[in-house]
Amino acid sequence: MRKKIVSPGHRRELALTMVAAGVCSGRAACRILRLSRSTYWYRGRAATTAQQQLRQRLRELSDENPRYGYRRIAVLLREEGWRVGKRQIQRLRRAEGLRVPPSRRKLIRRGVSTGLPIKATHRGHVWTWDFIADATVRGGALRMLTILDEYTRECHVLRADRALRSGEVLTWLQKAIAQHGAPQYLRSDNGSEFIAKIVRRWLAQNQIKTIYIEPGSPWQNGFVESFHGRFRDECLNREQLWTLTEARVVIEDYRHKYNQRRPHSRLGYQSPARFAAQLTSSPSAVGLRPPSVGDGQTQNPSATSTTASD
């Protein structure tokens, strides 16, 4: 296989070798290798002592700081008194074959979905869960778990803590299921708490399918992202939460207000709890326009009259 020559310097060296071996003349070698004759006849100047010292010091600094690029190396050299620019150091590093070793890319853990992406069509069809982060005034971290019904928009869980691990997340999911029934699907991102073996094993045992969104695609989990936007705007940005206990009280009050009293535009400006209470046994999907009457479903007049007569 013929070696591909890219650099003009390499082509010049090959041309000189061909001429020295008597293969062809210099003009023919330039024509064969597509090399400019000015490049072929170029004779570089010998490096001065100062340049040699600069290259030596450059190699030493690069060995001491292998993660430093030419900009940082140039700063270190100027601090030592060398009159150099960053572009000069960049050229010298290239000539010396110095480069920052590429970092090993971290493999992103991803959960294996057991269900297809689906739109909620009735209560308890698809739940979604995610985390939102904040901090107390005294500097302590706040990590809040949200569990939401995508059809009714009810917030079943809004738990604040300093840290929430997979076991604690599973505990709060079990509490929500005990109160509202189990969903058919759970939508989430690939957070470590949601793809943990203990969580996936428990969901499989209880026949709850998982839907994991693509990494870096929060729009695929739009219902909980929309809720978090309202929650931050209407609660977190307006309240000063000094302690964890105070945060839990304020956040739980907001969850109750959101479920019971806050009008939701997608639900015909009803609260999620009121909308859920009006659902029939076979509801249709909530459309883009808010329903005008009840939950937006038309009833069969004959069925109504029959029920009344019974």
Side-chain angles (χ1 to χ4, degrees), residues 169-184:
V169 167
L170 187 57
T171 299
W172 283 101
L173 176 62
Q174 292 172 347
K175 291 181 180 180
I177 290 176
Q179 183 176 358
H180 303 283
Q184 298 180 27

mmCIF file of all heavy atoms in Angstrom, residues 169-184:
data_model
loop_
_atom_site.group_PDB
_atom_site.id
_atom_site.type_symbol
_atom_site.label_atom_id
_atom_site.label_comp_id
_atom_site.label_asym_id
_atom_site.label_seq_id
_atom_site.Cartn_x
_atom_site.Cartn_y
_atom_site.Cartn_z
ATOM 1 N N VAL A 169 -36.080 7.209 46.840
ATOM 2 C CA VAL A 169 -36.951 7.492 45.706
ATOM 3 C C VAL A 169 -37.992 6.386 45.560
ATOM 4 O O VAL A 169 -39.178 6.647 45.329
ATOM 5 C CB VAL A 169 -36.116 7.632 44.416
ATOM 6 C CG1 VAL A 169 -36.998 7.614 43.189
ATOM 7 C CG2 VAL A 169 -35.299 8.917 44.460
ATOM 8 N N LEU A 170 -37.567 5.149 45.695
ATOM 9 C CA LEU A 170 -38.489 4.018 45.587
ATOM 10 C C LEU A 170 -39.519 4.045 46.711
ATOM 11 O O LEU A 170 -40.695 3.701 46.505
ATOM 12 C CB LEU A 170 -37.691 2.716 45.616
ATOM 13 C CG LEU A 170 -38.461 1.429 45.354
ATOM 14 C CD1 LEU A 170 -39.170 1.489 44.012
ATOM 15 C CD2 LEU A 170 -37.523 0.229 45.406
ATOM 16 N N THR A 171 -39.115 4.462 47.896
ATOM 17 C CA THR A 171 -40.047 4.541 49.029
ATOM 18 C C THR A 171 -41.168 5.526 48.744
ATOM 19 O O THR A 171 -42.356 5.239 48.984
ATOM 20 C CB THR A 171 -39.296 4.941 50.304
ATOM 21 O OG1 THR A 171 -38.313 3.948 50.605
ATOM 22 C CG2 THR A 171 -40.253 5.083 51.478
ATOM 23 N N TRP A 172 -40.821 6.703 48.196
ATOM 24 C CA TRP A 172 -41.842 7.704 47.905
ATOM 25 C C TRP A 172 -42.717 7.293 46.727
ATOM 26 O O TRP A 172 -43.910 7.618 46.683
ATOM 27 C CB TRP A 172 -41.188 9.058 47.646
ATOM 28 C CG TRP A 172 -40.760 9.701 48.931
ATOM 29 C CD1 TRP A 172 -39.507 9.742 49.451
ATOM 30 C CD2 TRP A 172 -41.601 10.365 49.876
ATOM 31 N NE1 TRP A 172 -39.497 10.391 50.658
ATOM 32 C CE2 TRP A 172 -40.765 10.792 50.941
ATOM 33 C CE3 TRP A 172 -42.956 10.641 49.925
ATOM 34 C CZ2 TRP A 172 -41.272 11.474 52.039
ATOM 35 C CZ3 TRP A 172 -43.458 11.334 51.026
ATOM 36 C CH2 TRP A 172 -42.618 11.734 52.067
ATOM 37 N N LEU A 173 -42.165 6.565 45.789
ATOM 38 C CA LEU A 173 -42.992 6.037 44.699
ATOM 39 C C LEU A 173 -44.004 5.040 45.235
ATOM 40 O O LEU A 173 -45.179 5.051 44.832
ATOM 41 C CB LEU A 173 -42.096 5.384 43.652
ATOM 42 C CG LEU A 173 -42.824 4.703 42.485
ATOM 43 C CD1 LEU A 173 -43.650 5.702 41.692
ATOM 44 C CD2 LEU A 173 -41.831 3.984 41.579
ATOM 45 N N GLN A 174 -43.601 4.186 46.167
ATOM 46 C CA GLN A 174 -44.520 3.219 46.756
ATOM 47 C C GLN A 174 -45.643 3.917 47.520
ATOM 48 O O GLN A 174 -46.796 3.483 47.480
ATOM 49 C CB GLN A 174 -43.735 2.274 47.675
ATOM 50 C CG GLN A 174 -42.774 1.357 46.942
ATOM 51 C CD GLN A 174 -41.878 0.590 47.881
ATOM 52 O OE1 GLN A 174 -41.788 0.908 49.078
ATOM 53 N NE2 GLN A 174 -41.183 -0.416 47.368
ATOM 54 N N LYS A 175 -45.311 5.006 48.205
ATOM 55 C CA LYS A 175 -46.350 5.761 48.927
ATOM 56 C C LYS A 175 -47.356 6.361 47.960
ATOM 57 O O LYS A 175 -48.573 6.341 48.210
ATOM 58 C CB LYS A 175 -45.696 6.857 49.759
ATOM 59 C CG LYS A 175 -44.880 6.349 50.948
ATOM 60 C CD LYS A 175 -44.284 7.505 51.738
ATOM 61 C CE LYS A 175 -43.463 6.995 52.917
ATOM 62 N NZ LYS A 175 -42.867 8.121 53.703
ATOM 63 N N ALA A 176 -46.873 6.890 46.831
ATOM 64 C CA ALA A 176 -47.788 7.462 45.846
ATOM 65 C C ALA A 176 -48.672 6.390 45.227
ATOM 66 O O ALA A 176 -49.872 6.614 44.989
ATOM 67 C CB ALA A 176 -46.986 8.185 44.760
ATOM 68 N N ILE A 177 -48.105 5.213 44.968
ATOM 69 C CA ILE A 177 -48.897 4.123 44.391
ATOM 70 C C ILE A 177 -49.938 3.632 45.387
ATOM 71 O O ILE A 177 -51.077 3.317 45.014
ATOM 72 C CB ILE A 177 -47.960 2.986 43.954
ATOM 73 C CG1 ILE A 177 -47.135 3.427 42.740
ATOM 74 C CG2 ILE A 177 -48.739 1.715 43.634
ATOM 75 C CD1 ILE A 177 -46.118 2.410 42.278
ATOM 76 N N ALA A 178 -49.584 3.561 46.666
ATOM 77 C CA ALA A 178 -50.543 3.126 47.677
ATOM 78 C C ALA A 178 -51.725 4.077 47.781
ATOM 79 O O ALA A 178 -52.849 3.667 48.103
ATOM 80 C CB ALA A 178 -49.843 3.005 49.031
ATOM 81 N N GLN A 179 -51.513 5.350 47.477
ATOM 82 C CA GLN A 179 -52.583 6.340 47.591
ATOM 83 C C GLN A 179 -53.367 6.521 46.299
ATOM 84 O O GLN A 179 -54.583 6.710 46.326
ATOM 85 C CB GLN A 179 -52.001 7.689 48.014
ATOM 86 C CG GLN A 179 -53.049 8.775 48.240
ATOM 87 C CD GLN A 179 -52.436 10.062 48.749
ATOM 88 O OE1 GLN A 179 -51.220 10.130 48.970
ATOM 89 N NE2 GLN A 179 -53.267 11.080 48.951
ATOM 90 N N HIS A 180 -52.690 6.429 45.143
ATOM 91 C CA HIS A 180 -53.344 6.747 43.871
ATOM 92 C C HIS A 180 -53.418 5.567 42.907
ATOM 93 O O HIS A 180 -53.989 5.712 41.821
ATOM 94 C CB HIS A 180 -52.598 7.890 43.175
ATOM 95 C CG HIS A 180 -52.487 9.133 43.995
ATOM 96 N ND1 HIS A 180 -53.526 10.028 44.174
ATOM 97 C CD2 HIS A 180 -51.440 9.633 44.731
ATOM 98 C CE1 HIS A 180 -53.138 11.018 44.953
ATOM 99 N NE2 HIS A 180 -51.877 10.804 45.308
ATOM 100 N N GLY A 181 -52.867 4.435 43.256
ATOM 101 C CA GLY A 181 -52.848 3.315 42.338
ATOM 102 C C GLY A 181 -51.592 3.330 41.484
ATOM 103 O O GLY A 181 -50.940 4.365 41.319
ATOM 104 N N ALA A 182 -51.264 2.186 40.906
ATOM 105 C CA ALA A 182 -50.028 2.066 40.140
ATOM 106 C C ALA A 182 -50.231 2.547 38.707
ATOM 107 O O ALA A 182 -51.257 2.276 38.089
ATOM 108 C CB ALA A 182 -49.557 0.617 40.127
ATOM 109 N N PRO A 183 -49.247 3.247 38.141
ATOM 110 C CA PRO A 183 -49.337 3.650 36.736
ATOM 111 C C PRO A 183 -48.919 2.497 35.822
ATOM 112 O O PRO A 183 -48.289 1.528 36.260
ATOM 113 C CB PRO A 183 -48.342 4.810 36.645
ATOM 114 C CG PRO A 183 -47.293 4.452 37.665
ATOM 115 C CD PRO A 183 -48.016 3.758 38.782
ATOM 116 N N GLN A 184 -49.264 2.631 34.543
ATOM 117 C CA GLN A 184 -48.821 1.634 33.569
ATOM 118 C C GLN A 184 -47.396 1.929 33.095
ATOM 119 O O GLN A 184 -46.640 1.010 32.787
ATOM 120 C CB GLN A 184 -49.774 1.610 32.376
ATOM 121 C CG GLN A 184 -51.199 1.214 32.738
ATOM 122 C CD GLN A 184 -52.114 1.208 31.530
ATOM 123 O OE1 GLN A 184 -51.669 1.018 30.402
ATOM 124 N NE2 GLN A 184 -53.407 1.432 31.766
#
